[in-house]
Amino acid sequence: MTRPLLLTPICRPEPGRSDALAVQVYRDLLAAIRDGRIARGSRLPSSRAAASELGLSRSTVNVAYDLLRAEGVVAIRRGAAPCVTSPSEPRKPLADREAVRASERGRRLAGTPRGVALAGPSGTMAPGEPSESLFPADEWGRSLRRAARRSHGPIASYAEPYGHRDLRQILSERLASDRGLSVDPERILITPGTQASLALAAHLTTDPGDLAAIEDPGHLGARAAFHGAGLRLASLPVDAEGARANAVPPEARLVYVTPSNQYPLGVRLSHARRMALLDRARAIGAVILEDDYDSEFLWRGREIAALAAEAPEGRVIYTGSASKVLLPALRIGWMVAPSDMIDVFRAAQRNLGLLANLHTQIALADMMRSGRYRAQLSRIARVYEARGHALAAALSAIEGVAVREPDGGVQITARFTEGDPEAHVVAALSATGFAPTRLSLYCNGEKRSGLVIGFADATPERIDAFARTLSRALKEAPLPARSGIRD
């Protein structure tokens, strides 16, 4: 009779990893069986012996063995050592297999600059990101536990995939009080975030080959969503008053704007431009897609209503999310669908699987209804305002950098006044743990040179280190890099 295998050369469970110890043992053994390191007919040690050998509890080993049995690679009989039943021949790659290739639509979707902007190493002061340290973990946990412990009936299965009624109702109330937008809760769809909302709207209001006008510089997520829908893009230049409405081409079917806090420049769309944009869209029969980006954080000037509040019903599709007040990883956003397309939007949302987690929706509704969401917003807004102004002050003292005081949001744009030292500067900042993105990546037409910098996590120490690194990098930038892009 063959002796049981030694497990220590195969299994290396480590406490503290994300996977449970039993899952680690199971995966190590499964990999060894499937690649032929453990042959068919081999005997595994008893759970007691394995537990002693690996320094684990017997129940942990039993769970791992049960998982292997469920996988069909190990037979377990009472009173006998577990026996490996899978084929001993290792799986061989097919040398002549033809590679699977992306479709044209797949290449367009994956080939946008957004992937480049997000592909670098993670770090601090990245644009568009809230501070995780300010997340109300205890309050969120309590709301989530309450949601998970309740019985929800049909909606716990497949009913109402477009959003929980409680969340849609409270959002309707908040949009009316905070954004001046009176909307029936039935027109609100709950999505996994603004990116999903943009993709859904693009697919349902345009056909492949249609033209979409998008702010320039503008949000890379919107550009990715429209590329994925097969649209052509036209640049909509942005200046100190926001997007230029008179630049919308007459053949545009969709117009994307961030009127409350333009991304990435941080300007607000002036009232005159807002009216001009609505008139232009009406004249050419285009739909406006309003991304109410960072509208929660406003520190200067009078608060203005959402663009959708000033438009005929259906002309503007409104989108928002909880990403900045809570966390992007919660994956929850909302959109207001045109009244005569509600059924189409609901059906397409379900068919595409752009659905939000039920318990997350209920927890968010609970926080909003109780006032804790608004309290969280007030708390972090004060912190972000102070950090934004502190960063602007530090950057304005650096020669070769132009920056304006932020009106809101969680990021600031720094323009380089001489040449194009972007690549050198970003490399230097990345080497010290910072993760700003290049302003030129957001430009579809005329290129602008600078940085888009997040300040949600910008502590005084980080601001000082960032400014020192940036100043030094500008002084050390190679001369050829100073002769490129100019405003």
Side-chain angles (χ1 to χ4, degrees):
M1 181 180 293
T2 58
R3 297 177 55 126
L5 292 171
L6 282 176
L7 298 188
T8 46
I10 300 170
C11 302
R12 295 179 176 84
E14 297 177 13
R17 283 168 47 183
S18 57
D19 291 334
L21 292 170
V23 174
Q24 295 179 45
V25 172
Y26 152 73
R27 287 182 174 169
D28 287 346
L29 288 173
L30 182 62
I33 292 170
R34 286 185 166 172
D35 65 20
R37 285 179 288 143
I38 300 179
R40 176 193 291 186
S42 298
R43 291 194 303 128
L44 302 179
S46 67
S47 58
R48 188 185 304 277
S52 175
E53 182 183 349
L54 298 175
L56 303 173
S57 70
R58 189 177 179 187
S59 60
T60 296
V61 175
N62 280 328
V63 170
Y65 282 178
D66 283 339
L67 290 171
L68 291 170
R69 176 169 56 182
E71 197 73 35
V73 297
V74 167
I76 300 177
R77 293 181 300 165
R78 188 177 182 85
C83 181
V84 176
T85 59
S86 70
S88 57
E89 287 292 324
R91 292 182 297 180
K92 298 178 181 179
L94 299 176
D96 58 346
R97 182 177 66 83
E98 187 173 335
V100 178
R101 302 186 184 279
S103 64
E104 174 62 27
R105 179 172 55 190
R107 287 192 292 272
R108 286 170 61 88
L109 183 59
T112 64
R114 189 177 203 222
V116 177
L118 300 179
S122 61
T124 57
M125 297 175 66
E129 296 185 5
S131 173
E132 186 179 2
S133 66
L134 297 178
F135 176 65
D138 292 338
E139 294 182 12
W140 179 256
R142 286 191 289 269
S143 292
L144 201 57
R145 282 192 295 274
R146 282 193 293 268
R149 288 168 177 166
R150 287 166 48 191
S151 176
H152 303 292
I155 60 174
S157 185
Y158 297 105
E160 299 183 19
Y162 44 85
H164 192 275
R165 62 180 71 88
D166 289 351
L167 180 56
R168 290 187 286 116
Q169 178 61 46
I170 187 62
L171 282 172
S172 174
E173 297 168 11
R174 286 184 61 85
L175 289 175
S177 62
D178 296 357
R179 307 300 298 128
L181 178 56
S182 178
V183 56
D184 189 327
E186 293 303 306
R187 290 180 58 202
I188 298 176
L189 277 65
I190 309 302
T191 70
T194 298
Q195 186 67 22
S197 299
L198 299 180
L200 183 62
H203 278 83
L204 297 184
T205 60
T206 63
D207 291 312
D210 282 350
L211 186 69
I214 181 171
E215 293 172 327
D216 190 1
H219 188 24
L220 298 177
R223 204 188 305 180
F226 302 156
H227 269 295
L231 304 184
R232 296 177 294 120
L233 300 184
S235 292
L236 193 57
V238 175
D239 57 25
E241 290 189 68
R244 286 170 41 196
N246 61 1
V248 177
E251 66 271 27
R253 299 275 64 82
L254 188 66
V255 182
Y256 170 81
V257 288
T258 51
S260 297
N261 193 315
Q262 200 278 332
Y263 189 84
L265 297 184
V267 299
R268 283 201 291 172
L269 191 64
S270 68
H271 185 265
R273 291 275 178 90
R274 291 160 71 92
M275 296 300 102
L277 182 61
L278 292 173
D279 289 343
R280 180 61 172 166
R282 186 182 302 110
I284 65 176
V287 172
I288 297 174
L289 189 48
E290 176 182 11
D291 182 348
D292 205 17
Y293 198 89
D294 286 359
S295 65
E296 306 95 333
F297 307 116
L298 176 65
W299 309 317
R300 187 165 57 183
R302 182 176 60 86
E303 186 170 347
I304 56 177
L307 183 63
E310 304 181 71
E313 189 173 289
R315 176 63 60 194
V316 179
I317 297 176
Y318 175 95
T319 69
S321 80
S323 294
K324 302 301 188 300
V325 179
L326 296 176
L327 286 177
L330 298 182
R331 306 288 184 259
I332 192 161
W334 45 87
M335 66 186 303
V336 178
S339 57
D340 53 355
M341 290 184 66
I342 294 173
D343 291 341
V344 173
F345 268 75
R346 285 179 173 180
Q349 180 189 15
R350 178 169 184 169
N351 291 341
L352 291 173
L354 301 176
L355 313 176
N357 177 274
L358 173 64
H359 295 153
T360 301
Q361 293 183 62
I362 297 172
L364 179 58
D366 176 53
M367 286 194 69
M368 286 184 168
R369 185 69 71 187
S370 68
R372 287 175 285 126
Y373 185 86
R374 194 177 297 278
Q376 163 71 3
L377 171 57
S378 298
R379 180 174 72 96
I380 63 176
R382 290 192 296 271
V383 176
Y384 291 165
E385 180 179 9
R387 291 177 176 179
H389 290 316
L391 177 60
L395 294 175
S396 63
I398 300 174
E399 184 179 355
V401 173
V403 66
R404 62 186 294 275
E405 285 285 329
D407 294 331
V410 293
Q411 59 276 316
I412 196 170
T413 296
R415 306 272 290 279
F416 296 137
T417 58
E418 295 184 32
D420 179 25
E422 272 190 350
H424 179 82
V425 167
V426 168
L429 289 166
S430 177
T432 53
F434 295 107
T437 52
R438 299 168 59 165
L439 176 59
S440 62
L441 290 175
Y442 299 87
C443 301
N444 198 40
E446 180 186 358
K447 298 297 182 184
R448 310 189 196 193
S449 180
L451 299 175
V452 184
I453 312 156
F455 54 74
D457 59 352
T459 61
E461 296 77 17
R462 287 173 176 171
I463 291 174
D464 182 61
F466 186 97
R468 282 189 282 104
T469 304
L470 174 58
S471 179
R472 183 171 60 251
L474 285 172
K475 293 175 182 177
E476 297 173 350
L479 289 176
R482 296 180 177 272
S483 60
I485 301 173
R486 292 185 180 273
D487 291 324

